[in-house]
Amino acid sequence: MEYKTFLIKYAEIGTKGKNRYKFEDHLCKRMRQRLKALGDFEVRREYGRIFVDAKSDFDYDEAMNRLTKIFGISGVCPVMQVDSLEYDDISAGVLKYVEEEIAGMLTGRSVASSPLTFKMNVRRHNKEYPINSMEMAARLGGDVLDKYEEKGMKVDVHKPEIVIDVEIRNVAYISSKVIPGACGLPVGTNGKAISLLSGGIDSPVATYMIAKRGVEMEAVYFNAPPYTSERAKDKVKDLGRIVAQYAGPIKLHIVNFTDCQLAIYKNCPHEELTIIMKRLMFRMAEDIAKKDDCQCIVTGESIGQVSSQTTFSLRVINDAVTDIPVFRPLIGMDKQEIVEMSQKIGTYETSILPYEDCCTIFVAKHPVTKPTLEQIEESEKKLEGIIEPLYQTALETAEVVYLK
Ligand code: ATP
Ligand code: MG
């Protein structure tokens, strides 16, 4: 069937009481934004429901792909619309729907051995409608059986394989399928965060997870040319673009970290390099966050994954950020769980491309795993008078790109 109308299901927004409208506004805006390039669409709200109507030809698969990635949507139902509310017209619509969408599943089925069980579910928003919901469901179910019982369909109101929904408003909508959406809350309803985005597996997943809670995302990537290549930078942009399909446009700050990194390499104990470097990255992220009104920092750290992610290292790195919270949504996840999530959201294949990261050059053979704050602060004293101008230059010369 060629669908022209979609009913949008949303889960958590429904619990928002008076604020619900604000959430719905964000959701509709985002849907319009994402569908615009695919054709002429109308996104409309009606009695606590959101509908999308296609007013032109469009690519169904791509529209579905885009809608199911928008945070706030728990599912998308393609619906068939019947413009007349005459019983006979609705019944004819239901039979057409069954013929086109369900009859194909009847091959090899029979009522005696393996029936395809269904239930009619009728809702009337139009209470003026003369037939009540129960009676309507019984009559429509009877019409379906008249035609399809012989072919293997059977009513089961308790555990049906298929529920055929008929919703009566000023027109009637028939549907039976829900394509699962990304869930979460519409981006823009929960402030803004800056994510430390590297080219690895973890940080794109972390960025996705925080965006899923309705948070608008910025990102910062530290690169170290010529030690890291243009391709490594492109990879980070590509990852940002994949996440942006869910999270909406992402402002990415690309910081040239080479001089800072070389200064640390020259002046500090090599086994502490990663820790000191990370502390500088976090400080810089905090500065950008404050300038751009971000309320929090996000990283892809997970306890014990590498030496700089032991609880000791995290404690010392965390101390570099003074005023805003650092969120680490992957902190208790196993690598395999993170990998599975990155496969699900579509970042994995890009993440595993083998380009170097600034954290993997200049790595010590035996990095510290139990640093103390006193020890690291002592080492950082060697950078006094050296690092500040490099730090400022790196911040001032950061390149900004918008990913969408
Ligand atoms: P990822 O898979 O996200 O690259 P990782 O397992 O390689 O993480 P680390 O290199 O220790 O772990 O980095 C921990 C976190 O620090 C990353 O998840 C990311 O948030 C941040 N980070 C690391 N390198 C960079 C970088 N070059 N630019 C921006 N953030 C970075
Ligand atoms: Mg990494």
Side-chain angles (χ1 to χ4, degrees), residues 15-31:
T15 65
K16 294 291 172 195
K18 278 192 188 149
N19 278 333
R20 175 178 174 153
Y21 292 100
K22 195 184 80 184
F23 284 82
E24 288 181 358
D25 276 344
H26 278 280
L27 185 59
C28 290
K29 194 172 134 204
R30 179 91 185 106
M31 284 162 60

Side-chain angles (χ1 to χ4, degrees), residues 198-203 357 359-360:
S198 64
I201 293 171
D202 306 321
S203 47
D357 178 71
C359 294
T360 52

Side-chain angles (χ1 to χ4, degrees), residues 32 50 93 98 102 138 173 193 212 255 268 270 343-344 346 359 361 393:
R32 291 189 190 104
I50 298 176
V98 172
I102 298 170
Y173 296 107
K212 184 171 176 183
V255 175
C268 301
H270 287 182
Q343 286 167 333
K344 193 180 124 220
C359 294
I361 53 175
T393 306

Side-chain angles (χ1 to χ4, degrees), residues 146-165:
D146 282 348
K147 194 163 170 203
Y148 292 97
E149 192 169 21
E150 261 179 21
K151 296 177 183 154
M153 280 182 83
K154 185 180 168 195
V155 172
D156 181 344
V157 290
H158 301 295
K159 267 193 159 176
E161 272 173 72
I162 293 177
V163 177
I164 305 174
D165 279 301

Side-chain angles (χ1 to χ4, degrees), residues 171-220:
V171 294
Y173 296 107
I174 303 165
S175 63
S176 69
K177 284 186 243 177
V178 185
I179 290 99
C183 295
L185 294 168
V187 167
T189 55
N190 260 325
K192 192 157 63 160
I194 186 157
S195 180
L196 278 86
L197 186 64
S198 64
I201 293 171
D202 306 321
S203 47
V205 175
T207 311
Y208 168 95
M209 283 176 76
I210 297 298
K212 184 171 176 183
R213 299 309 301 160
V215 182
E216 181 185 341
M217 298 306 297
E218 292 199 8
V220 54

Side-chain angles (χ1 to χ4, degrees), residues 20 38 41 48 66 85-86 92 106 113 115 141 174 183 197 199 211 215-216 250 274 306 310 339 342 352 362:
R20 175 178 174 153
L38 301 182
F41 291 89
R66 287 183 180 216
L85 293 186
E86 292 295 325
L106 291 171
S113 60
I174 303 165
C183 295
L197 186 64
V215 182
E216 181 185 341
I250 295 175
T274 312
V306 286
T310 63
V339 163
S342 73
I352 58 171
F362 310 128

Side-chain angles (χ1 to χ4, degrees), residues 264 267-280 283 307-308 310-320 366-384 387:
I264 299 170
N267 295 286
C268 301
H270 287 182
E271 62 277 12
E272 294 170 7
L273 281 184
T274 312
I275 304 286
I276 296 174
M277 208 171 74
K278 282 267 158 69
R279 278 166 57 85
L280 206 63
R283 260 183 66 201
S307 64
S308 58
T310 63
T311 51
F312 299 90
S313 300
L314 287 168
R315 184 256 177 276
V316 174
I317 292 169
N318 199 59
D319 195 78
H366 301 289
V368 283
T369 54
K370 287 189 178 181
T372 64
L373 193 53
E374 296 69 32
Q375 167 199 355
I376 298 295
E377 282 177 341
E378 193 56 37
S379 302
E380 284 176 344
K381 284 192 182 141
K382 311 224 171 60
L383 296 169
E384 275 171 19
I387 202 78

